[in-house]
Amino acid sequence: MDTAQAAAAEKLPQETIDISVEFTGGLELLFGNVRKHKLAMPTSDSEGQRSNVNFLIQHLCDKYMKDPRRDMFLMNGTVRPGILVLINDADWELEGEGSYEIQNGDDILFVSTLHGG
């Protein structure tokens, strides 16, 4: 492939997966106070691996999180303890947690059970 072909290939739209993401229990405050998001996720990450929930979590933090306090959502590269993740109404632990490969039409819900007092 010559440089002109490579440049043209880089401009091609990347295939996407349409999903819904929702934040509740106060997490929406970290994401511009927007509770529901409709996303067109890339089908693969930068390494060519199919997009999974781990990639989604990083993508959400990089592109959608408005609040600088990432530690309210992330700990050690994944959602912090006390945040429930549901994939199509099933606990993500039943779906493979972060390794679950995102499918077109998935509904992913993040629920904070952490409350101050």
Side-chain angles (χ1 to χ4, degrees):
M1 182 181 310
D2 65 27
T3 55
Q5 288 173 323
E10 285 182 20
K11 293 181 183 178
L12 290 175
Q14 186 174 9
E15 291 183 40
T16 59
I17 304 167
D18 295 325
I19 64 170
S20 297
V21 175
E22 186 173 353
F23 301 99
T24 63
L27 288 175
E28 63 275 12
L29 299 173
L30 300 175
F31 294 88
N33 213 21
V34 177
R35 186 173 176 167
K36 295 182 181 183
H37 299 260
K38 296 284 187 189
L39 307 181
M41 286 286 301
T43 56
S44 58
D45 64 18
S46 60
E47 298 173 3
Q49 301 296 315
R50 287 206 29 94
S51 292
N52 60 25
V53 174
N54 286 332
F55 175 70
L56 170 65
I57 291 166
Q58 289 303 315
H59 181 75
L60 290 169
C61 288
D62 293 343
K63 304 285 185 191
Y64 294 91
M65 186 177 276
K66 305 298 183 204
D67 194 295
R69 298 173 296 168
R70 282 187 175 211
D71 62 324
M72 300 295 289
F73 185 64
L74 288 179
M75 180 181 276
N76 299 322
T78 190
V79 293
R80 62 180 300 118
I83 296 177
L84 303 176
V85 182
L86 300 177
I87 302 169
N88 302 319
D89 297 323
D91 190 320
W92 77 325
E93 292 178 358
L94 300 173
E95 301 292 344
E97 296 183 356
S99 63
Y100 171 81
E101 291 183 356
I102 296 173
Q103 306 296 313
N104 202 46
D106 277 349
D107 293 310
I108 304 186
L109 173 63
F110 296 90
V111 182
S112 176
T113 63
L114 306 172
H115 301 284

